[in-house]
Amino acid sequence: MTHASVKPLTLTLGHLYPDQLNLYGDRGNIMTLQRRCQARGIELRVVGLGIGDALAPDEYDMLFIGGGQDKEQAPVAQDLYDLKGIGLWAAVEDDMPVLAVCGGFQLLAHYYRPAEGPDMRGLGVFDAWTLHKGKRVPRCIGDIALNWNGSTLVGFENHGGRTYLGTAKPLGKVLKGSGNNAEDHTEGAIYRNAYGTYLHGSLLPKNPHFADHLLSLALKRKYGGEYYRVLAEAPPASNGYSSATLPEKSGETSGESIMVTAVMEEEPLTPPSFQLAPLDDRLEWEAHAYILERLGLHHAAAATIRAHIQE
């Protein structure tokens, strides 16, 4: 059976409020997604959505919203609720992957009550709310590590607000650091494929497994069960990333590994499978392990080194 056509995978990411919400280098999350896509031959188009721009969910495959100071969040909160709320809710309910960091996380919960001024109304995607207990209360600041999906996530947190979860499931349990509120050891929140977190750092450069998780969700949602075939285990190219080519026929097994590629088949693949081609992430995992070691999580650091760095 021959392929009717072959075309590269493409994704479109909506970056909400890139000018207003970009504390602590959160734009690095976008850069990481772009680089990891490029290394696999996937085209990732990034579209900025500022104040006054509508959000049409059908035009995007992923969404990202970062963090900002309270004075910057107020006009964003109004715009998000009045103009983008319906589109964002539709995207979330349709299982579009969404990453919301710090202030973005707060605005996707029910409300944020700042130390001064009126409450900022959120969208309520996460059943959670945030209270700032005043400038005399120490901020939640410093390196942080949590367990996630049988592994760990690391980052840097710096927030005055304390977030409390209702029925929302946390992203993970805090191993070291403050997390949502420095009280209950929760960090972040999850609803469907939407993820809220306080982890800066930026988050994704030091957590390649989480970056790939988001990309996998986006690719499965767009191509899964329709016309894709995933072919992994591509050998490292000279730049340290994976590269390979697609054979002419689906039955060929030439020994060459193949990059993630969308393929229009004459017949549907049953059952579909999906796996991203691995990349050379040794530097990323070294940074990850360094944070764990600095936090005194020696066993977790050693496990990371054994699993991802040692050959």
Side-chain angles (χ1 to χ4, degrees):
M1 180 175 64
T2 59
H3 299 302
S5 63
V6 178
K7 59 182 180 180
L9 295 171
T10 62
L11 294 172
T12 301
L13 185 151
H15 185 179
L16 277 67
Y17 312 108
D19 296 326
Q20 292 85 5
L21 304 182
N22 185 34
L23 280 180
Y24 310 118
D26 283 336
R27 198 182 298 270
N29 292 314
I30 303 293
M31 296 170 64
T32 296
L33 294 173
Q34 287 178 311
R35 190 170 185 183
R36 299 187 74 78
C37 282
Q38 182 183 22
R40 294 175 169 119
I42 303 168
E43 180 185 352
L44 179 65
R45 177 172 172 257
V46 179
V47 178
L49 293 167
I51 291 177
D53 296 330
L55 196 168
D58 292 344
E59 297 180 3
Y60 304 98
D61 303 301
M62 307 175 69
L63 295 174
F64 172 77
I65 178 171
Q69 297 179 358
D70 287 359
K71 63 181 180 180
E72 297 167 329
Q73 284 185 215
V76 165
Q78 194 67 39
D79 180 85
L80 184 65
Y81 190 89
D82 292 342
L83 187 59
K84 297 181 178 63
I86 294 177
L88 196 148
W89 256 112
V92 169
E93 292 295 341
D94 196 33
D95 288 327
M96 185 183 299
V98 177
L99 177 60
V101 176
C102 200
F105 170 30
Q106 295 170 351
L107 295 180
L108 263 59
H110 291 303
Y111 64 87
Y112 170 53
R113 180 164 297 163
E116 299 175 353
D119 290 359
M120 299 181 197
R121 183 167 51 179
L123 294 185
V125 170
F126 304 119
D127 183 14
W129 57 95
T130 303
L131 311 174
H132 195 301
K133 296 187 177 181
K135 296 181 179 180
R136 294 185 178 181
V137 178
R139 296 177 65 84
C140 299
I141 184 170
D143 292 326
I144 179 173
L146 54 139
N147 64 2
W148 174 78
N149 200 25
S151 182
T152 50
L153 295 177
V154 300
F156 178 83
E157 60 181 336
N158 185 355
H159 53 102
R162 265 64 169 175
T163 297
Y164 299 89
L165 305 182
T167 60
K169 178 183 176 181
L171 174 63
K173 180 180 178 181
V174 175
L175 300 174
K176 283 292 181 69
S178 298
N180 285 337
N181 50 52
E183 299 170 25
D184 59 17
H185 302 288
T186 65
E187 206 294 315
I190 301 173
Y191 176 69
R192 301 182 78 95
N193 287 337
Y195 296 85
T197 180
Y198 278 113
L199 271 63
H200 297 283
S202 298
L203 168 65
L204 298 184
K206 294 184 180 69
N207 298 282
H209 53 323
F210 190 51
D212 281 355
H213 174 69
L214 296 173
L215 291 173
S216 295
L217 290 174
L219 290 163
K220 287 180 182 180
R221 177 179 175 272
K222 183 172 183 178
Y223 294 107
E226 187 174 328
Y227 59 90
Y228 72 83
R229 178 171 181 169
V230 173
L231 312 146
E233 303 299 330
S238 59
N239 62 359
Y241 292 99
S242 302
S243 65
T245 56
L246 181 70
E248 292 297 325
K249 297 182 180 181
S250 61
E252 289 184 2
T253 54
S254 63
E256 294 183 1
S257 300
I258 307 159
M259 183 172 294
V260 180
T261 308
V263 181
M264 182 68 75
E265 297 273 357
E266 293 177 358
E267 300 176 4
L269 293 170
T270 306
S273 61
F274 195 92
Q275 182 182 357
L276 284 172
L279 304 179
D280 182 354
D281 290 327
R282 283 173 292 183
L283 289 177
E284 288 81 354
W285 284 114
E286 285 175 3
H288 186 106
Y290 174 74
I291 296 298
L292 294 173
E293 186 72 27
R294 193 161 68 180
L295 288 171
L297 299 170
H298 306 297
H299 291 297
T304 296
I305 293 172
R306 287 195 301 269
H308 302 288
I309 300 174
Q310 290 181 346
E311 297 183 356

